[in-house]
Amino acid sequence: MTITASDPLPSAQRTAGETPAGPGSRPVSPVAKQTNAVQAAYAATAAPVTPGAEPDAEELLPRTDIESLQLQRLQATISHAYENIAAYRELYDAAGVGPDDLQTLEDLSKFPFTDKEFLRRAYPFQSFAVPMEQVRRIHASSGTTGKPTVVGYTEGDIDRWATLLARCLRFSGVRPGDIVHNAYGYGLFTGGLGAHYGIEKLGATVIPMSGGQTEKQIQLIQDFKPRVILCTPTYLLALADAFRHAGLDPRETSLELGVLGAEPWTEEMRHEIQRSFNITACDIYGLSEIMGPGVAGESAQRQDGSVIWEDHFRPEIIDPISEEVLPLGHHGELVFTTLTKEALPMIRYRTHDLTRLLPGTDRPGHRRMGRITGRSDDMIILRGVNLFPTQIEEIALGVPELSPHFQLRLTRPSTMDQLTVRIERRPEVPREQAEAAGAELARQIKVKIGSSCQVSVEEPESLARSSGKLRRVYDERRR
Ligand code: DLL
């Protein structure tokens, strides 16, 4: 399919016979007859997708076609949000912008940002752009404080999500007919169910294991012999330990591939995981507000960062302080605009994830993202030095006597903040040798990051494991 900028726009616009939904006056016609601007734009521009082993047409589009597609879908998304969500209308009216102000992709920068707070104010369902009877599923991410962030999906949203997830899995080397052990948590978290439907869509067999019950996971991996595992990187490391604990060698399992995400992880962690299980480990990225897992996925051949599926999402990188849009290759905060979401269109959503955009490689039309170095809200400020847990991970994994299991504890014993890295020794390394390695770790942190810290070498399997996203930082300074 080739799309050009001159293709008729599916007038963001609505289908014949439909009345515009003014503020507070959502259309109430029968569900089957309702269409919205995003649905119409998608129907007019989408290339057919044949599930299976081959890349789909939009995945292979060149950059110019992707950008034409983005413009059409973006115009439809902005109109859809403006017409159907009061919060967008208020935001845009206050900023003096409206759907007509988006004539080029660059015009997007005229529109204000949205964030988690924007969604919280619309709790639970006021952020939805379609009548509730068109919403087929709800997910929610538990906020650390207060109300969860609620997200919703129409039938079309769920279908596109499954298709994109299938695209990610295929790109990472999963094939129809594979057995896939899905250890992302099922429930309100988007990981389990999001991956589940993608695995089925690809034509693979899903084992809906969910997180936790580590002994059961081991038994099922031994008995069902999956070729692929899906879970967080830290949980896969916890599984490696549990295999060894049970007297089994994790390198001897049937697993050949891991598709891992939901938390920041480093290249050093990738090597550790690949060595531990003798598998290929690929990244998968996503966030509930934008869709869930599958916003970006990584090629197994290249392992050169996750490709953002730009036929469905328009990424930007901004300076988190000045909010200025930064050029390709510059580090900053990732911002996403959805292009095909019907129930919950998100425009210029600030993710707080820090990374950079890179040019496409295997999929030249779609840009890649660098590793997420951290979230701006996870940054530790220690006596004036900014640091992220991933920086400690990178250094700690370079000290062979110490395990990849660590926690960061922040205290304020007097007036000065204190960082303690609690890290387990590897079981085969004697205590004395591990203590020396701990001193070496403290030295390297001082040299490479510029912060003095204490390293407390802990006994194997003494630190908390998680069955999903691992909590690395324990900040006890405010107590
Ligand atoms: O974690 C969705 C997901 C599930 C992604 C399974 C991948 C696999 P949330 O719970 O809303 O959604 O958390 C989203 O997790 O903003 C990042 O900070 C972080 N994150 C997700 N994937 C990655 C990754 C899911 N591959 C938040 N690398 C995001 C680094 C990640 N951080």
Side-chain angles (χ1 to χ4, degrees), residues 82 129 361:
Y82 187 81
T361 47

Side-chain angles (χ1 to χ4, degrees), residues 184 189 262-264 283-288 293 353 372 375 469:
Y184 286 122
F189 175 53
E263 62 185 2
D283 185 51
I284 183 164
Y285 169 87
L287 64 164
S288 321
D353 289 331
I372 306 264
R375 294 178 54 80
K469 294 174 193 270

